[in-house]
């Protein structure tokens, strides 16, 4: 009934409009027709634009947890969203991540401190515009902890050549970190409430990075890429909580690998200075990636070689072989191997002179990741498409579990560490 | 020197493998598993960054952390 009334009203309105226009001046009718034509054209453009809204919107959620034999646990939920329009060449991506860290590691125990808890919030935003063969990406990121604040800005340009068989990329990034301090003297961070204001105590680290890369199609099923990263850091990155034990020369020579906290306490000298690292660091890494699609599986390989002016050299190899198991499921094994040398000023046990001068080594550290080590990772993952029959890949669950083992080759407190990293992610295309 | 040799070897390998792949021949390259989406997520990236003394190959605008 309501439709009938509306239809009748429309007919009456149309008839009266026609009658009215018949009674007007021809010049006015011409203007009215022109206005009506423009209106119709605008409506058509709007409808066309609506029909051509071929942007792809994605949202994802991931929750991950890490635990190791050094009594460190990390719980990491994150969300991400993106919108991408392939036709216009524009995309926007954002991510927000939280790290909830709880630690009673050797580093914490060696300072006679209780279990340490901390939350890190981090977000990033990235926009790309690539209408044809040339594209520009602008990116920004922010990270905040009670005793550490950091932001980064960057830009990258890409150029497609030879019908997209080759893509060149070049980028620049700048980062600014402020290192603060929480907790009482001689202890690591305790709680947010006891943190010293950044205005009272902070150290600044400025980071610049440059990257140059090339991606090349190597066949109808193979793509390779190589990228060089240069990093320049200026500032004092020494940990304000890390105290380095000092030893007499004869004791240092006999310090056993992985010496216990009790052994160190019984044999060290009274002086225990804070860590001191060099105030600048230049890094260079070259990363190569290769992906090949077989019939029913995809192999992905990555190799990174790294060197810096602290004399740390490293190699990292990562491999993942993804096997299709039906239309909706894929599984893969994953292995990763990392090995590195120590920085030039690394010592298992540092030697200092007698009191009162002590004659401390200029540079000293207890950061195990600056010492010689190797680590192996092994595990796997599975994806499950849960979208419609027509487009199953529009919604996906991914689960990954990796076991990690690290051997510290020349360290106090710890000779090895085992850990597990597990993650569950869900991504949907809206 | 090792880095330079590695770079040279990789570039040479890429150059030797250069073949022209027409757009209509890229069906396998467009398979969803060929993207980086199934690589480790942000948590894995973060764990590796903290546990390994090396960096590189990541995003252009990374923020740091006081993690190790």
């Amino acid at each position: 009934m309501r439709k009938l009334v509306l239809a009748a009203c429309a007919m009456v309105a149309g008839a009266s409009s026609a009658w009215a226009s018949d009674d007007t001046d021809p010049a006015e009718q011409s203007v009215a027709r022109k206005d009506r034509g423009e209106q119709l054209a605008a409506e058509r453009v709007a409808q066309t634009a609506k029909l051509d809204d071929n942007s792809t919107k994605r949202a994802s959620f991931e929750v991950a947890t890490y635990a190791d034999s050094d009594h460190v646990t990390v719980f990491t939920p994150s969300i991400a969203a993106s919108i991408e329009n392939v036709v216009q060449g524009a995309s926007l991506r954002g991510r927000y991540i939280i790290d909830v860290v709880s630690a009673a590691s050797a580093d914490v125990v060696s300072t006679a401190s209780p279990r340490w808890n901390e939350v890190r919030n981090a977000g990033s935003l990235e926009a790309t515009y690539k209408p044809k063969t040339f594209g520009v990406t602008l990116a920004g990121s922010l990270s905040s902890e009670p005793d550490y604040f950091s932001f980064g800005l960057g830009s990258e340009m890409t150029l497609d050549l030879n019908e997209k068989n080759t893509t060149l990329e070049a980028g620049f990034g700048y980062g600014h970190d402020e290192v603060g301090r929480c907790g009482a003297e001689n202890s690591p961070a305790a709680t947010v409430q006891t943190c010293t204001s950044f205005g009272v105590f902070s150290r600044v680290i400025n980071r610049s990075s440059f990257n140059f890369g090339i991606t090349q199609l190597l066949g109808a099923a193979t793509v390779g890429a190589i990228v060089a990263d240069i990093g320049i850091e200026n500032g004092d990155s020494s940990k304000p909580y890390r105290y380095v034990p000092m030893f007499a020369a004869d004791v240092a020579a006999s310090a056993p690998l992985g010496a216990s906290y009790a052994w160190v306490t019984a044999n060290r000298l009274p002086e225990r200075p804070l860590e001191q690292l060099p105030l600048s660091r230049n890094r260079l890494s070259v990363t190569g990636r290769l992906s090949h699609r077989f019939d029913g599986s995809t192999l992905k390989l990555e190799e990174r070689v790294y060197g810096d002016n602290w004399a740390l050299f490293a190699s990292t190899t990562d491999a993942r072989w993804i096997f299709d198991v039906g239309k909706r499921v894929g599984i893969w094994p994953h292995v990763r191997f990392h090995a590195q040398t120590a920085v030039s000023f690394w010592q298992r046990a540092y030697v200092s002179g007698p009191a009162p001068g002590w004659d401390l080594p200029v540079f000293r550290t207890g950061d195990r990741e600056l010492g010689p080590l190797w680590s192996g990772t092994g595990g796997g993952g599975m994806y499950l498409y849960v979208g419609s029959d027509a487009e199953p890949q529009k919604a996906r669950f991914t689960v990954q579990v990796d076991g990690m083992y690290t051997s510290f080759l020349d360290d106090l407190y710890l000779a090895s560490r085992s850990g597990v990293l597990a993650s569950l992610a869900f991504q949907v295309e809206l | 020197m090792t880095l330079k040799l590695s770079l040279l070897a990789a570039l040479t390998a890429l150059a030797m493998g250069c073949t022209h792949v027409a757009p209509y021949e890229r069906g396998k390259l467009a398979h969803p598993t060929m993207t980086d989406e199934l690589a480790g997520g942000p948590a894995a990236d973060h764990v590796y960054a903290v546990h390994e003394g090396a960096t590189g190959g990541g995003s252009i605008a990374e923020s740091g952390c006081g993690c190790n």
Side-chain angles (χ1 to χ4, degrees):
Chain A
M1 186 61 179
R2 181 180 168 83
K3 287 182 180 175
L4 281 174
V5 172
L6 288 173
C9 289
M11 288 175 66
V12 170
S16 58
S17 171
W19 176 80
S21 58
D22 285 344
D23 197 34
T24 52
D25 181 78
E28 289 181 10
Q29 286 183 32
S30 174
V31 171
R33 278 198 297 272
K34 186 182 176 190
D35 288 347
R36 180 63 181 152
E38 288 177 350
Q39 184 183 349
L40 286 171
E43 287 175 357
R44 190 166 296 131
V45 168
Q47 286 174 352
T48 305
K50 191 174 180 180
L51 288 172
D52 287 349
D53 180 15
N54 44 17
S55 61
T56 304
K57 305 169 190 73
R58 291 191 180 92
S60 65
F61 173 75
E62 182 188 277
V63 59
T65 184
Y66 167 83
D68 67 30
S69 58
D70 195 26
H71 310 290
V72 174
T73 61
V74 185
F75 176 67
T76 309
S78 66
I79 54 172
S82 68
I83 179 167
E84 182 177 10
N85 190 312
V86 177
V87 176
Q88 296 179 356
S91 67
L92 185 65
R93 290 176 286 276
R95 182 184 297 280
Y96 176 65
I97 182 170
I98 300 174
D99 273 332
V100 183
V101 183
S102 177
S105 64
D107 291 333
V108 176
V109 172
S110 66
T111 55
S113 300
R115 176 169 280 275
W116 163 72
N117 300 293
E118 189 171 82
V119 177
R120 182 177 79 104
N121 292 275
S124 63
L125 199 61
E126 188 176 295
T128 298
Y129 184 58
K130 190 178 181 183
K132 291 183 179 175
T133 58
F134 180 72
V136 175
T137 296
L138 297 175
S141 64
L142 203 64
S143 172
S144 175
E145 300 164 60
D147 58 351
Y148 206 99
F149 175 78
S150 173
F151 72 83
L153 299 169
S155 177
E156 188 173 69
M157 292 173 286
T158 58
L159 178 65
D160 293 335
L161 301 170
N162 191 23
E163 285 190 312
K164 291 190 176 182
N165 275 254
T166 304
T167 300
L168 303 177
E169 66 177 58
F172 168 74
Y174 170 75
H176 177 90
D177 296 6
E178 290 189 27
V179 185
R181 184 182 171 89
C182 291
E185 192 72 11
N186 294 322
S187 76
T191 61
V192 175
Q193 287 76 19
T194 61
C195 291
T196 304
S197 160
F198 282 101
V200 175
F201 171 82
S202 67
R203 293 171 181 159
V204 172
I205 304 168
N206 289 309
R207 296 175 287 112
S208 300
S209 62
F210 305 86
N211 72 282
F212 309 92
I214 179 173
T215 301
Q216 176 69 46
L217 300 188
L218 301 173
T222 310
V223 58
I226 186 165
V227 60
D229 289 273
I230 299 168
I232 301 169
E233 297 174 6
N234 287 296
D236 191 354
S237 56
S238 310
K239 266 288 195 185
Y241 311 113
R242 185 172 284 139
Y243 292 87
V244 183
M246 293 290 142
F247 299 87
D250 56 332
V251 177
S254 63
L257 174 65
S260 68
Y261 171 60
W263 187 95
V264 172
T265 303
N267 291 279
R268 71 175 176 86
L269 295 172
E271 180 68 355
R272 195 171 56 149
L274 278 166
E275 176 182 68
Q276 184 57 61
L277 302 174
L279 301 182
S280 68
R281 191 176 190 183
N282 300 330
R283 305 168 182 260
L284 172 65
S285 71
V286 178
T287 306
R289 297 189 180 91
L290 190 72
S291 298
H292 181 79
R293 178 68 188 169
F294 295 97
D295 291 330
S297 68
T298 300
L299 177 63
K300 300 173 83 72
L301 301 171
E302 181 177 309
E303 169 64 27
R304 177 184 65 192
V305 289
Y306 168 94
D308 63 34
N309 66 340
W310 291 6
L312 193 156
F313 297 95
S315 166
T316 309
T317 308
D318 195 289
R320 208 177 296 262
W321 201 337
I322 306 165
F323 294 89
D324 307 343
V325 183
K327 186 181 174 185
R328 290 178 176 270
V329 181
I331 59 171
W332 63 89
H334 172 227
V335 292
R336 184 182 180 93
F337 183 78
H338 173 84
Q340 67 180 53
T341 62
V343 295
S344 58
F345 51 91
W346 177 263
Q347 297 287 330
R348 180 190 301 180
Y350 286 89
V351 175
S352 70
W358 297 113
D359 191 22
L360 299 171
V362 176
F363 300 123
R364 52 205 182 251
T365 182
D367 182 355
R368 283 185 293 277
E369 277 67 41
L370 294 180
L373 63 85
W374 64 265
S375 67
T377 299
M382 182 184 81
Y383 70 79
L384 172 65
Y385 290 143
V386 292
S388 64
D389 286 340
E391 294 176 299
Q393 72 277 7
K394 284 204 165 187
R396 184 187 73 212
F397 279 104
T398 308
V399 61
Q400 299 189 70
V401 180
D402 281 317
M404 304 168 171
Y405 176 81
T406 304
S407 178
F408 300 105
L409 303 174
D410 191 21
D411 293 55
L412 297 175
Y413 302 128
L414 214 56
S416 66
R417 177 181 60 207
S418 303
V420 176
L421 172 68
S423 66
L424 174 66
F426 177 67
Q427 184 187 75
V428 62
E429 192 175 309
L430 305 172
Chain B
M1 180 57 78
T2 306
L3 283 175
K4 288 177 183 174
L5 287 175
S6 302
L7 181 61
L8 188 63
L11 284 173
T12 306
L14 277 178
M16 288 173 65
C18 285
T19 55
H20 187 271
V21 182
Y24 57 83
E25 295 176 312
R26 299 177 189 173
K28 285 188 170 182
L29 295 170
H31 194 273
T33 55
M34 290 291 279
T35 67
D36 289 333
E37 289 185 356
L38 293 175
D45 290 344
H46 191 56
V47 166
Y48 295 135
V50 172
H51 282 190
E52 297 168 354
T55 61
S59 169
I60 51 173
E62 292 174 327
S63 50
C65 74
C67 306
N68 56 344

